[in-house]
Each structure stands twice: as C-alpha cells, then as structure tokens.
Amino acid sequence: SGATSRKHSGERPQPVPTSVDHRPCMGRLAASLEVLKGELRRAKYDEGPLDADALLSGDPSAYLRLLHFALLRCSTDVARWLAELGYELYAKSDARFVECVWRLMRQELGYRHALSTKQFLSAGFAERKLQLTIESLRLVSAKHADLGRSARRPVGVDYKALAELAQPRTPNAATADARQPPLTVEASRTRAPRPAAAAAAAAASAAAEEAIAAA
C-alpha cells in the first residue's frame, strides 16, 4: 500500500491540516476599504489622510479614530441627540468608549455586529472592522437626516388628518341631489334676504316711519 511504500522508503507522511485559514483575501479587503473611503467623502471627513496599511491590518487605533469622527464630529445633531439620551462619549478610555458605542448602536440604532470589545481593541479582524465602520457612518447619516426632518415639523400637528383633508372629495351625485334639492322659481323668490339687504330695508322702513311721524 501507499503507507507501506512510504514507510520503507523513509518518506515522512504529510500532516493533515486541522484548521482552516479564515483570513480574508486582500481583494475583498481592498474593495471594502474603497467603500469606506466613499462613505467618509460623503460624511465630509477632513481629519487627515487615511492610513490604509493600518486599516488593512486591523490596527484598533485607526478604527477608533474613525468611530470618534462618526459619532462625535460627523453630525452635531446626532452628537447632541446621543448626549440628550445620556451617552457620554468624551474623556473615556478606549475600552469604555467601545463598550458605550456597542450599547448605543444596539439600543438606539438597532445595529448588531459580530465583534466583541476585546476583538475590536486587538490587531486583526480587519474585514469585520471595516464593515462596522462603514455601517456606523451610514447609520449616523440616516439618523442625521431623520433628526432634520423631525426639526422641520411643528410639534402637535396631526399630519395624517391634514393629509386626509387635502384629499379631493367627489360626493355621489344621488347623495348630493338628496342633500341639495333643486331651487324652484318660488323658492328663489321667497329666499331670505342677505344680511346687508335686510339692514338696508330696515333702515329705509325706519326713515319712512320717522317722516310720517314728523308730518
């Protein structure tokens, strides 16, 4: 057999691999990096050039810098909204900052990810960190737009009722005829006078009575 021939020939058997290399290919990482650059351009990122090598290697300091920008400087409206909700993101250690970000993304923005705090603060996991940062920028952008729409709408206005009132109404012809019977000649002659005409007639009648009394 093959094993017997290798034994007699002195050839050592090759070890069987016991694990799979889960490192992402560089092509996929490079594509995600380009997506991240596009999101940063839309967010008007102006805090210096990106360190592509640090991002591709999963350097936590490079991603912490981007998370700080996304949640604290990208939108003053979002930063104010988070502060009003009780999230204090300034003057925190890296671990406390990441824990706070994880909680607000889950509870306020409805986003869950697969990275733990320990994984984010360690080297590697570049693909997951890229996706997390991209989604953070998108969520902040969407929340910024939502807060802007809310600020432009007066408080206490029932927009649903207004929309219903704005809809054109076309009553049924039979119903309209039943509610408004046709006007006949007699009805038009006996219709009550308008307020202005009635006042003028009353004044004329009063003047005539005064003239008769004076005579």
Side-chain angles (χ1 to χ4, degrees), residues 139-173:
L139 289 168
V140 168
S141 176
K143 191 62 186 179
H144 174 81
D146 182 57
L147 292 172
R149 286 191 296 269
S150 299
R152 288 193 295 269
R153 304 183 77 176
V155 177
V157 177
D158 189 345
Y159 286 92
K160 183 177 180 181
L162 290 179
E164 292 177 353
L165 290 174
Q167 294 295 325
R169 297 180 180 273
T170 55
N172 185 283

Side-chain angles (χ1 to χ4, degrees), residues 10-176:
E11 181 183 349
R12 299 183 62 182
Q14 297 295 322
V16 178
T18 58
S19 62
V20 179
D21 188 357
H22 292 286
R23 291 176 297 177
C25 67
M26 292 305 296
R28 193 163 64 241
L29 280 178
S32 296
L33 180 59
E34 290 304 313
V35 174
L36 174 61
K37 290 178 180 179
E39 294 297 333
L40 288 171
R41 282 194 297 270
R42 278 185 282 276
K44 296 180 173 57
Y45 179 79
D46 59 354
E47 301 191 6
L50 292 177
D51 189 342
D53 292 336
L55 292 170
L56 292 175
S57 66
D59 184 353
S61 62
Y63 289 97
L64 281 168
R65 179 182 178 185
L66 296 181
L67 281 184
H68 275 92
F69 167 78
L71 296 167
L72 297 175
R73 292 184 290 278
C74 180
S75 167
T76 55
D77 291 341
V78 173
R80 187 183 304 111
W81 172 70
L82 290 173
E84 290 172 354
L85 291 176
Y87 292 97
E88 179 54 59
L89 299 175
Y90 291 96
K92 286 185 177 292
S93 65
D94 291 344
R96 295 285 293 174
F97 171 78
V98 173
E99 289 173 358
C100 190
V101 170
W102 271 211
R103 185 170 67 254
L104 74 86
M105 292 184 73
R106 182 178 62 254
Q107 296 180 359
E108 312 303 336
L109 300 176
Y111 177 69
R112 295 178 179 271
H113 52 82
L115 275 173
S116 66
T117 303
K118 182 178 180 180
Q119 289 171 334
F120 184 84
L121 293 174
S122 61
F125 303 96
E127 186 174 21
R128 293 183 182 181
K129 291 177 183 179
L130 281 168
Q131 292 301 321
L132 168 67
T133 310
I134 290 168
E135 290 302 320
S136 299
L137 290 165
R138 289 173 175 172
L139 289 168
V140 168
S141 176
K143 191 62 186 179
H144 174 81
D146 182 57
L147 292 172
R149 286 191 296 269
S150 299
R152 288 193 295 269
R153 304 183 77 176
V155 177
V157 177
D158 189 345
Y159 286 92
K160 183 177 180 181
L162 290 179
E164 292 177 353
L165 290 174
Q167 294 295 325
R169 297 180 180 273
T170 55
N172 185 283
T175 305

Side-chain angles (χ1 to χ4, degrees), residues 1-8:
S1 64
T4 305
S5 61
R6 283 196 302 269
K7 181 178 180 181
H8 288 293

